[in-house]
Amino acid sequence: MIQLKQFKIQHSFSRGLNQSLKHNNGKDDGFTIMESLVGMLVASLLVAAIAPMLLLSTATRLQSRRVEQGSQAGKSFIDGVRSGRIAVESSDDPPKEYIKTIDPEFKKYDPLTAKRSLEDKPEDYLITSTNMLPPISPTGLYCFQTDGVILPPNCSSDPNKRNQFYIQASRIRVEESEANDGYRLAVRVYRKDVDFSKTVVASTTTSKKTQTIVTNKLGNKQAPIIELAADVIKSNTTFLALCNRLGTKADKNCQN
């Protein structure tokens, strides 16, 4: 009787073990070719769906970094001019201009004939393709290098491949102004890969042409990264000299 029970127990255990092994073997069979193809198709559709967003995110991040660096380059140039580290003209007699003066120069402020304010004469405060033509060659442009060094004009030849930006600059002076009266400095920063064999653009009085931060491509290399304007004064620049250049509020003049 005991032997019969032992036989039944062993028989039940063997049958359960065989069923368990068969069940586990079924799990290890893997995917069929059709299942694999369907999985690959689904994965491809997901990648195709998110690819434009990934491209936009990457391109925008790179463009944002480029604009930030270009802005820093333009501000460094302005600081260099204000401090005298970047020469505006030579000490010759007559001096040779390194940073050209925009022609024609501004008329002196006159509340009746030459009233100047941002509201009345915005063209006097904006850098446009009219008062500073876009460059057609690297001649006359400064070079901003990756190590922060600003090279003088005609520096396009770059054997060490450090040039990062081109900087275009001009001076805006009031007619008959003296050397100590100061001037307005206009600055544009272009990418080093700008193609001068094609049209180089700049902002107009009605259309802004600087590069945008949001992009899904490489950005418009023919447009300036940034356009800046800053006043450069000397230690003895008078208020009247500033007023002649900047203008006043409505119904005011340079004497009050």
Side-chain angles (χ1 to χ4, degrees):
M1 190 70 174
I2 294 175
Q3 291 180 350
L4 180 60
K5 288 184 178 180
Q6 289 178 344
F7 173 77
K8 288 182 178 180
I9 292 173
Q10 290 176 353
H11 180 70
S12 299
F13 176 77
S14 299
R15 184 172 59 182
L17 180 61
N18 290 335
Q19 290 177 351
S20 177
L21 290 174
K22 287 181 180 180
H23 181 69
N24 289 335
N25 287 338
K27 282 187 176 179
D28 296 336
D29 287 342
F31 294 106
T32 64
I33 294 178
M34 185 59 67
E35 289 172 336
S36 300
L37 291 175
V38 171
M40 292 173 63
L41 178 60
V42 172
S44 299
L45 291 175
L46 290 175
V47 171
I50 65 175
M53 185 174 297
L54 292 176
L55 181 61
L56 176 63
S57 175
T58 302
T60 298
R61 179 174 58 83
L62 293 175
Q63 180 72 350
S64 176
R65 178 61 176 165
R66 184 184 293 119
V67 171
E68 178 185 0
Q69 292 176 334
S71 301
Q72 293 174 350
K75 293 175 182 177
S76 296
F77 181 84
I78 293 172
D79 291 340
V81 172
R82 282 174 168 168
S83 65
R85 292 184 291 109
I86 298 177
V88 174
E89 56 189 19
S90 69
S91 57
D92 301 335
D93 189 18
K96 178 182 177 181
E97 287 189 328
Y98 298 136
I99 300 180
K100 300 294 184 181
T101 300
I102 292 177
D103 187 46
E105 296 179 343
F106 282 2
K107 301 293 183 182
K108 281 189 175 182
Y109 175 85
D110 186 315
L112 298 178
T113 61
K115 187 175 181 179
R116 180 178 296 121
S117 69
L118 185 58
E119 181 180 358
D120 296 321
K121 299 188 70 174
E123 64 275 7
D124 283 359
Y125 295 84
L126 302 175
I127 306 174
T128 68
S129 56
T130 301
N131 57 23
M132 187 164 78
L133 297 175
I136 59 175
S137 73
T139 302
L141 303 184
Y142 290 79
C143 295
F144 186 90
Q145 298 197 309
T146 54
D147 55 1
V149 173
I150 300 177
L151 298 181
N154 308 323
C155 51
S156 57
S157 178
D158 183 19
N160 296 321
K161 300 187 181 303
R162 293 180 180 174
N163 287 351
Q164 189 175 14
F165 302 108
Y166 286 114
I167 297 178
Q168 181 189 22
S170 295
R171 292 187 292 172
I172 304 172
R173 301 181 66 176
V174 176
E175 65 176 357
E176 301 178 11
S177 60
E178 302 294 334
N180 292 323
D181 288 345
Y183 53 88
R184 184 174 301 150
L185 181 65
V187 174
R188 289 194 188 109
V189 180
Y190 288 91
R191 290 162 50 170
K192 67 176 182 179
D193 58 347
V194 57
D195 188 352
F196 291 106
S197 65
K198 299 179 181 179
T199 301
V200 180
V201 299
S203 297
T204 66
T205 53
T206 58
S207 177
K208 191 172 181 64
K209 296 292 185 180
T210 54
Q211 296 188 31
T212 59
I213 294 178
V214 179
T215 178
N216 60 353
K217 298 180 181 178
L218 298 178
N220 182 10
K221 65 180 182 180
Q222 301 302 107
I225 292 176
I226 192 171
E227 295 173 326
L228 299 170
D231 270 86
V232 179
I233 61 175
K234 304 295 180 67
S235 59
N236 49 358
T237 298
T238 64
F239 172 77
L240 182 60
L242 281 172
C243 188
N244 280 330
R245 184 165 63 252
L246 300 177
T248 68
K249 292 183 178 180
D251 301 324
K252 300 291 183 179
N253 57 53
C254 287
Q255 278 70 44
N256 58 18

